[in-house]
Amino acid sequence: MYRTALRNVLAHKGRLLMTALAILLGTAFVSATLVFSDTLGEAMKNSYAKSYTDVSVLVTDNSAGTRFGPRGKDDARKSEKLTDATVREIAALPGADRARGVVSGFIGVADKKGNLIGEVWSALGSNYVPDATGKDSRYPLVDGHAPAGPKEVAIDRATADKGGYHVGDTIRIASNGPAMDAKLTGIVTTDDPQITSGGTLTLMDTASAQKLLLTPSQYSSISVLAKSGTSESALLADVTKALPKGDNFRTETGQQLTDEQTKAIATGTDGMKTMLLVFAIISLFVSIFIIANTFTMLVAQRTKELALLRAVGASRSQVTKSVLVEALALGVGASVTGLLAGVGIGAGMQSLIHATSAGMPTGPLVIAPATVVVTLVVGVLVTVLSAVIPAVRASRIAPVAAMSSGDQPATQKSLVVRNVIGSVITLGGLGLVVMGAATKSSSGRMPVGFGVALAMIGIFVVLPLLSRPVIALVGPLMAKLAGTPGKLARRNAVRNPRRTAATAAALTIGLTLVTGLTVLGASITDMVDKAVTSSMKADYDITTATGGLTPELAAAIGKAPGVAVASPVNKSYSEFNGNSHSIFGIDAAGFEQLIQPKMLSGSASALKQGQILVDDSMAKKENLAVGSTVKVSFPEHEGTITVGGVYEGNAMISEVVMANTDLAKQDSTTYLSDVLVKGTDGASPALKQSIKDATGNNPVVQVKTKQDMRDEFNKIITFALNMMYGLLGMAVVIAVIGVINTLAMSVFERKREIGMLRAIGLDRRGIKRMVRLESVVISLFGAVIGVALGTFAAWAVNRTLTSSLPTLGTVIPYGQLLLFLALAGLVGLFAALWPARQASKLDILTSIKTD
């Protein structure tokens, strides 16, 4: 029986080719994901390990701020600092070879057009610390000399090349405050992976860096190198004792820092790996339908052969095992090929990343044993498990079937049982989705997710039942447009409901996911668009790429020529009646000229009386109305405040609106996020330039119109959707292979039928049209079900977001969904090209004589 099974694989290699290709693509996706993520992770670990080669202990002042600028001055006053005295005390420790005070923060560099070079998150500013030789070993000079004054800087070579700068040029730099011009005195190199991977580095002398990024004589951190023979742990203990009192210092050894960095890189690459593997699993799941469909058709075509084996003594278990051995041989061969293809794809992805992002770390290809095992095991298991049901059906073929011919159709009883089970699962899943959506809160997301998965499984089971009525709807249209070939195509599509369902299911999976993502994206985009259009009356929203502004910069913007009304926007969180809520601080005098929320009760002018405005969601949650008093707990003050108005929830505004003057009295640690501006003559290029001039043409400052805000958000959504579409592309390709496979095998088993049609007058063109239309109908059937299920799932997810996004509604982008259906039709047409051509070339007499 095993020899028979292996001979069958070789005998039907042409019919198994498409199935093997589907397995190959799915396993290649898995293999490529594992190889690429392991290779990139190892390269990053090796690269970032260099960051701490000269660090035995690092002391960090948590109160000194972040790379995007200092925290409030109050924070700095309340805590002890790392100063020159601290550096000297640590350097004098018996186990310390040397100690270095480090100043770090955000400093952006503008190109000659005034635009920021590189990404804001990778723009680093630091201090140049010369040793006895006048050089800083961390930043070797390749040209010029070290910066030695407040108007002198050095930058890294890559940044100089990007900006076209040379030693002696004047360059524009900026932190969170006003921009400034500085003389470029030197160009350095560094092995800091943050810089080598595309970041920018700006160096100043220590005093100038402290003044710009922190406060005079303060350091962000102190790097300590141990003497030979002194362990890092011993030095850590001594350094900890030497630090000023306070809980704002963090001390770590170089090994701890390396371990943390390694863990962070592993977490990041694991997240990427998980996302890619999810889409690889989707592709393999699609392959299941193709494999099962292929073996079902092979069993049906070999009914007489299998019956003869039973007649000559083969047991049911032997027949089952023979089919599974065929699947095993197919799975092993396709998985090994997929593994090798995946290794090649992974190497190609690594080369592509390095070519497009020259600074990205690279290294030798990593092919872990786990990659080989996982790829082969997954590929073989998916193939064998997909063939189990066809194998069991093969074992049930009676020996007497050897005396009959033709396909042994599924009994009506088996279809009834399948339809009942599928209907129960589908209704249960849809019920869970509706129940989760009815909660209108995050608690409903679990039932919705589980319900959608259950409904999808149920629909796959019940697809044969759905195929007849859905395809029947297009029957009259096909007959009218295509005549006899159209009628035949419709009948062929519903002749074997199971086969049609299995073929369409692959496309249903892809279209469900694509449609769900598209509807979600359109709904969120519409919400933001409405919020910007309906509530923002300001002509410009000014913020920085770092996400925050200084009061000095906000004041300069307000004084710019052409500005009629300007207000800084402050963000804060406080407790109202014991519950934390976000606060939107704005100048009371300019509020109604800059922001116009839809007031449900009360008046926006209540801000001028020291009252607050709340959105309808918070009003409902806290049982508030106009005139209600609320107990408020700020970090520095507690009291009560009166509600002066209730407005409709808006994505542009927080839950609570308060006048800046009142907010400043209550909370001195607010975050100045942006400035809203209304021009004397509205938005204009002149006003925009006036604002830029007022900020010193700061490359970090962003002056955005309403359209800019919409475009910026749409760009994010579009990028995310395009990435998802690209990752789902493999599943769609495998689905196309499934359609081709099914049609090709269907043509083979219908040779006699096609020969008879040709004999009674249907020409070659009619045969081609029949096969193509059958393919289009099956593809559209799967696409329609997928679009409907995806839209329903997106509606349910939107409902669960209502509590956090009260203005979010479900927007159905009919144009895009119709485009998806049209593309599905084209997919069906493309998939049928080769099978249709093969069918039309069949010899009439040879086909009629086919047994």
Side-chain angles (χ1 to χ4, degrees):
M1 290 299 295
Y2 293 137
R3 287 198 299 271
T4 301
L6 294 176
R7 286 172 182 169
N8 280 329
V9 172
L10 296 175
H12 301 107
K13 54 182 178 291
R15 300 183 217 175
L16 293 172
L17 177 63
M18 288 296 176
T19 305
L21 184 57
I23 303 166
L24 186 155
L25 290 176
T27 51
F29 200 158
V30 173
S31 175
T33 294
L34 296 174
V35 169
F36 173 67
S37 56
D38 289 345
T39 300
L40 182 61
E42 189 65 25
M44 291 181 70
K45 280 189 286 186
N46 293 336
S47 176
Y48 277 85
K50 300 175 184 178
S51 300
Y52 306 111
T53 53
D54 60 347
V55 178
S56 300
V57 174
L58 183 69
V59 182
T60 305
D61 183 356
N62 294 324
S63 70
T66 67
R67 291 185 44 247
F68 296 121
R71 295 173 65 181
K73 293 181 180 178
D74 292 338
D75 293 334
R77 285 200 302 268
K78 290 175 186 176
S79 59
E80 295 290 339
K81 304 175 186 177
L82 297 176
T83 63
D84 287 320
T86 315
V87 176
R88 288 193 296 270
E89 188 173 350
I90 291 176
L93 292 172
D97 182 60
R98 67 174 182 267
R100 172 196 181 99
V102 179
V103 180
S104 63
F106 165 78
I107 298 181
V109 181
D111 61 19
K112 292 182 178 179
K113 294 181 179 179
N115 299 317
L116 186 69
I117 297 176
E119 299 294 336
V120 64
W121 52 267
S122 60
L124 177 66
S126 189
N127 59 324
Y128 188 92
V129 185
D131 55 21
T133 66
K135 297 180 180 179
D136 188 334
S137 59
R138 284 201 312 169
Y139 306 116
L141 279 163
V142 293
D143 193 11
H145 61 82
K151 295 292 185 178
E152 293 186 354
V153 298
I155 60 176
D156 66 284
R157 183 162 50 190
T159 302
D161 292 340
K162 291 175 185 175
Y165 291 125
H166 301 88
V167 170
D169 288 348
T170 298
I171 67 174
R172 200 156 189 75
I173 62 172
S175 184
N176 271 24
M180 59 179 281
D181 291 327
K183 182 181 179 181
L184 179 60
T185 65
I187 296 175
V188 304
T189 60
T190 177
D191 59 2
D192 184 340
Q194 183 171 294
I195 307 305
T196 58
S197 60
T200 62
L201 174 66
T202 306
L203 298 172
M204 308 177 78
D205 67 279
T206 298
S208 300
Q210 288 172 332
K211 184 177 179 181
L212 180 64
L213 298 174
L214 301 171
T215 57
S217 77
Q218 183 184 9
Y219 292 101
S220 308
S221 59
I222 299 175
S223 171
V224 190
L225 181 64
K227 287 181 178 178
S228 178
T230 302
S231 68
E232 290 187 346
S233 57
L235 181 60
L236 177 68
D238 291 341
V239 168
T240 303
K241 293 176 184 177
L243 290 174
K245 293 181 180 179
D247 58 0
N248 53 296
F249 302 120
R250 185 176 75 250
T251 55
E252 296 171 286
T253 65
Q255 187 59 52
Q256 287 174 329
L257 291 166
T258 301
D259 292 343
E260 287 177 9
Q261 190 70 67
T262 301
K263 184 178 179 181
I265 291 170
T267 301
T269 53
D270 285 348
M272 176 189 67
K273 183 190 295 184
T274 300
M275 183 187 72
L276 291 174
L277 284 176
V278 166
F279 287 93
I281 290 169
I282 292 171
S283 298
L284 286 169
F285 186 62
V286 171
S287 301
I288 288 174
F289 295 94
I290 299 171
I291 299 165
N293 209 18
T294 299
F295 277 94
T296 297
M297 295 179 73
L298 282 175
V299 167
Q301 292 168 15
R302 289 160 49 198
T303 297
K304 292 185 69 175
E305 174 190 331
L306 294 171
L308 281 170
L309 288 173
R310 292 278 286 115
V312 297
S315 66
R316 286 190 172 186
S317 64
Q318 286 179 311
V319 172
T320 300
K321 289 177 183 177
S322 71
V323 176
L324 291 180
V325 167
E326 292 180 39
L328 178 64
L330 178 66
V332 170
S335 297
V336 170
T337 309
L339 171 65
L340 298 176
V343 171
I345 294 170
M349 290 171 67
Q350 179 73 358
S351 300
L352 179 64
I353 290 290
H354 184 60
T356 54
S357 303
M360 285 294 289
T362 186
L365 207 63
V366 177
I367 307 173
T371 298
V372 177
V373 173
V374 168
T375 302
L376 295 180
V377 169
V378 167
V380 171
L381 274 180
V382 166
T383 308
V384 173
L385 291 177
S386 301
V388 167
I389 293 178
V392 171
R393 287 179 184 160
S395 69
R396 293 175 178 173
I397 295 174
V400 71
M403 295 182 292
S404 63
S405 63
D407 190 3
Q408 300 298 308
T411 64
Q412 190 64 31
K413 179 181 178 182
S414 66
L415 284 175
V416 169
V417 172
R418 173 173 176 160
N419 292 337
V420 170
I421 294 173
S423 299
V424 170
I425 295 174
T426 302
L427 292 175
L430 296 178
L432 276 175
V433 172
V434 172
M435 183 180 73
T439 64
K440 295 185 180 182
S441 67
S442 58
S443 62
R445 291 172 195 169
M446 185 68 74
V448 166
F450 185 69
V452 169
L454 200 62
M456 187 176 286
I457 293 171
I459 285 176
F460 291 155
V461 176
V462 85
L463 271 179
L465 176 65
L466 296 174
S467 64
R468 292 184 182 275
V470 174
I471 294 176
L473 294 175
V474 298
L477 179 63
M478 292 177 64
K480 186 175 182 180
L481 295 177
T484 300
K487 293 179 181 178
L488 292 171
R490 183 190 66 79
R491 290 175 181 174
N492 288 335
V494 297
R495 174 191 296 180
N496 192 324
R498 284 182 173 174
R499 184 181 302 169
T500 297
T503 307
L507 280 171
T508 298
I509 296 169
L511 266 295
T512 297
L513 297 172
V514 167
T515 300
L517 291 170
T518 302
V519 173
L520 282 172
S523 301
I524 295 173
T525 299
D526 180 73
M527 177 194 70
V528 173
D529 188 66
K530 284 181 178 178
V532 173
T533 304
S534 63
S535 65
M536 183 174 168
K537 295 180 68 178
D539 296 316
Y540 291 105
D541 177 31
I542 298 94
T543 185
T544 64
T546 59
L549 289 161
T550 61
E552 295 80 9
L553 206 56
I557 292 169
K559 295 175 182 177
V563 173
V565 182
S567 171
V569 173
N570 289 283
K571 302 289 181 66
S572 179
Y573 280 89
S574 294
E575 289 191 356
F576 292 77
N577 290 339
N579 298 315
S580 180
H581 293 283
S582 55
I583 300 176
F584 181 93
I586 191 168
D587 291 347
F591 176 66
E592 293 183 89
Q593 299 177 66
L594 300 169
I595 298 287
Q596 190 179 35
K598 183 179 179 181
M599 299 301 299
L600 303 178
S601 60
S603 171
S605 61
L607 289 177
K608 298 175 183 177
Q609 282 77 53
Q611 299 177 345
I612 61 171
L613 309 179
V614 300
D615 70 9
D616 52 351
S617 176
M618 178 177 170
K620 182 179 180 181
K621 191 181 300 181
E622 302 291 348
N623 194 26
L624 302 175
V626 174
S628 300
T629 56
V630 189
K631 183 180 178 182
V632 186
S633 298
F634 288 97
E636 302 162 5
H637 178 76
E638 288 188 3
T640 58
I641 196 164
T642 303
V643 176
V646 178
Y647 59 89
E648 185 176 78
N650 193 299
M652 291 290 294
I653 312 173
S654 302
E655 300 166 287
V656 180
V657 177
M658 181 181 287
N660 274 329
T661 51
D662 297 322
L663 184 57
K665 295 175 185 176
Q666 312 289 350
D667 187 358
S668 62
T669 62
T670 57
Y671 171 67
L672 205 170
S673 62
D674 39 2
V675 176
L676 297 178
V677 169
K678 191 169 184 64
T680 305
D681 300 316
S684 67
L687 176 58
K688 185 172 184 178
Q689 188 58 51
S690 175
I691 295 170
K692 290 288 287 184
D693 291 341
T695 64
N697 285 315
N698 193 320
V700 181
V701 171
Q702 299 175 333
V703 183
K704 296 181 285 189
T705 63
K706 295 179 185 179
Q707 189 59 47
D708 292 335
M709 295 170 69
R710 287 196 290 258
D711 292 344
E712 187 176 276
F713 186 81
N714 288 340
K715 190 183 296 184
I716 296 172
I717 292 293
T718 301
F719 174 78
L721 288 176
N722 287 341
M723 183 178 68
M724 295 298 181
Y725 294 159
L727 292 172
L728 286 169
M730 183 65 75
V732 174
V733 169
I734 293 175
V736 172
I737 290 172
V739 177
I740 296 173
N741 189 50
T742 299
L743 289 174
M745 296 185 71
S746 178
V747 166
F748 178 83
E749 73 177 20
R750 283 157 43 194
K751 276 185 178 180
R752 178 182 292 176
E753 174 189 321
I754 292 171
M756 290 297 294
L757 290 173
R758 292 276 287 114
I760 62 176
L762 191 62
D763 59 11
R764 293 181 186 271
R765 183 178 298 177
I767 295 293
K768 286 183 179 179
R769 187 179 299 176
M770 177 187 72
V771 176
R772 289 170 185 165
L773 286 174
E774 180 182 350
S775 176
V776 170
V777 167
I778 292 173
S779 298
L780 285 175
F781 167 60
V784 167
I785 300 299
V787 167
L789 182 57
T791 302
F792 179 69
W795 165 82
V797 171
N798 281 345
R799 296 274 290 184
T800 65
L801 296 171
T802 300
S803 58
S804 53
L805 300 172
T807 59
L808 179 65
T810 300
V811 175
I812 301 177
Y814 292 101
Q816 285 179 273
L817 299 189
L818 288 174
L819 177 62
F820 292 157
L821 293 177
L823 289 175
L826 286 175
V827 163
L829 189 62
F830 170 78
L833 292 179
W834 181 69
R837 189 167 183 269
Q838 293 300 111
S840 67
K841 291 169 64 177
L842 291 175
D843 180 81
I844 298 175
L845 293 177
T846 303
S847 299
I848 291 174
K849 290 191 297 180
T850 299
D851 187 11

